[in-house]
Amino acid sequence: MLTGRTASITLRRCRSYTTKHGLRPVPILSDAGLETFRKDAFEPATPAILPRQTFSQLPAVQRWFLTASDGRLTLNRPYLARFGSTIVPLEISSNDRFTRIEQSLSFFLECVHASSSTYRVRPSRYFSAYVPGARAIRRTTQSNDFFSATAISPPTARVYLAQAPINDLPRALRDDLPVPDLVLKAGKGDVYDSSIWIGQAPTYTPLHRDPNPNLFVQLAGTKIVRLFPPDAGKAIFAKVQETIEGSASATMRGEEMMQGAEKKALEFEVWSDDVKSGRTGWEAELRSGDGLFIPKGWWHSVKGTGDGITGSVNWWFR
């Protein structure tokens, strides 16, 4: 339980952000000190947001991302391309198909660049300027343009650099993500594992739970996290399995939660506006530099929102 003093502070800070469908806003700690974190989050196993922008000085925040001329956030390709031969895990989704592969970081950079490419229309009767990554469109009876910006639809395939362990990255990139003191000192002093998550919004991670406490830090863009206590999350999972007549295990999760009936049912139960069942859960909106503590066993689902790139890092600790 939060102390009376801390609860009053966090409630005041949360008044500007209210959630939908009865989900409570995750409280914001009064300060980023180790003792406050232990007392009001780690030891009672309660979700909490560190004071806003606590992690804004992580080198990766400054070095990995840029703001494009149109205002959208993008990757710092010249910097990251120096490490292009690094092999990273990628999740590729297209409509209802999903697969995981390992490819080079340079491959991922090219995919992101292609997915964000657009047409820049020039004043020409027959042609518009072509940007690499977009597709040519045949002339139709409704258009005199061989390359028509109005005929382009966004690519359906999305590539997400997901669950890439920090320890597998080159030294320079690891140095851009130093382990926060809270992770090193709040628990037993060691990191169980860590991951980075980078992709073009919207991104999506389905409802799941972790076997260790988790510090989740937003590096770039915006993500919404919905969290459910162990019993409430288990009830949602069981309801989904009953709905789809499935038999998946809550402790052994595979690609079934990323595609097909289970993915759709999980997303509906956690995110749909049509759910009226009064879910018991919390919600957090995270922007660049924000950090969220997710206790062991708490179920959570994450969505990257807006335009442009979103980037996150998390550390699981004991």
Side-chain angles (χ1 to χ4, degrees):
M1 297 290 291
L2 294 176
T3 64
R5 179 183 65 84
T6 303
S8 63
I9 292 173
T10 54
L11 287 174
R12 288 199 301 272
R13 293 191 178 189
C14 287
R15 282 174 184 165
S16 61
Y17 171 52
T18 58
T19 64
K20 300 176 182 178
H21 320 303
L23 298 177
R24 293 180 291 169
V26 174
I28 303 175
L29 297 180
S30 58
D31 62 71
L34 177 61
E35 290 310 311
T36 297
F37 176 71
R38 279 177 173 160
K39 177 170 56 73
D40 295 333
F42 186 77
E43 292 176 356
T46 302
I49 297 175
L50 279 295
R52 299 294 185 179
Q53 302 292 295
T54 292
F55 302 97
S56 61
Q57 298 307 307
L58 282 175
V61 172
Q62 313 299 327
R63 295 174 182 169
W64 293 17
F65 308 95
L66 298 172
T67 302
S69 57
D70 61 2
R72 291 192 308 168
L73 205 62
T74 186
L75 291 173
N76 186 348
R77 294 181 69 207
Y79 177 73
L80 294 174
R82 295 162 48 193
F83 315 100
S85 62
T86 304
I87 301 300
V88 293
L90 302 177
E91 296 181 352
I92 302 178
S93 56
S94 178
N95 297 322
D96 198 33
R97 292 177 295 174
F98 174 84
T99 188
R100 287 190 176 96
I101 64 172
E102 290 191 345
Q103 259 289 357
S104 66
L105 179 60
S106 61
F107 174 84
F108 171 71
L109 295 175
E110 288 302 319
C111 287
V112 170
H113 179 63
S115 68
S116 60
S117 296
T118 58
Y119 283 88
R120 300 191 189 101
V121 178
R122 291 177 181 170
S124 167
R125 181 180 178 184
Y126 297 105
F127 298 99
S128 60
Y130 178 72
V131 178
R135 293 177 297 151
I137 299 299
R138 290 182 180 273
R139 181 171 56 180
T140 68
T141 55
Q142 288 77 32
S143 172
N144 286 328
D145 292 339
F146 286 99
F147 296 96
S148 172
T150 59
I152 295 299
S153 60
T156 58
R158 292 193 170 272
V159 181
Y160 193 25
L161 197 165
Q163 303 182 67
I166 296 176
N167 285 338
D168 291 350
L169 300 177
R171 167 61 67 181
L173 295 181
R174 297 202 304 270
D175 290 345
D176 289 342
L177 293 168
V179 182
D181 281 348
L182 290 180
V183 175
L184 294 175
K185 297 178 180 179
K188 296 184 177 180
D190 61 335
V191 178
Y192 173 75
D193 205 351
S194 60
S195 290
I196 58 172
W197 313 73
I198 303 175
Q200 193 86 13
T203 61
Y204 172 66
T205 301
L207 186 71
H208 67 286
R209 61 180 180 178
D210 298 329
N212 291 79
N214 183 359
L215 179 65
F216 184 92
V217 174
Q218 189 68 7
L219 301 173
T222 302
K223 282 187 175 177
I224 306 295
V225 185
R226 289 190 171 180
L227 307 101
F228 302 91
D231 288 346
K234 185 177 180 180
I236 293 174
F237 178 78
K239 180 181 178 181
V240 166
Q241 293 303 309
E242 181 180 1
T243 300
I244 66 173
E245 298 182 347
S247 58
S249 168
T251 57
M252 299 292 293
R253 311 299 292 122
E255 293 187 6
E256 70 279 354
M257 66 181 183
M258 298 297 295
Q259 59 188 336
E262 182 169 326
K263 175 183 181 295
K264 293 176 183 177
L266 276 174
E267 187 167 9
F268 177 84
E269 286 297 325
V270 175
W271 295 97
S272 176
D273 292 344
D274 296 329
V275 174
K276 307 295 184 182
S277 58
R279 292 162 296 194
T280 301
W282 292 6
E283 182 178 280
E285 181 179 87
L286 304 177
R287 299 181 183 274
S288 178
D290 292 343
L292 169 69
F293 172 66
I294 304 174
K296 173 183 176 179
W298 276 63
W299 295 72
H300 50 286
S301 181
V302 187
K303 280 193 173 184
T305 64
D307 295 323
I309 286 290
T310 68
S312 312
V313 59
N314 75 285
W315 291 270
W316 290 285
F317 50 106
R318 303 181 199 275

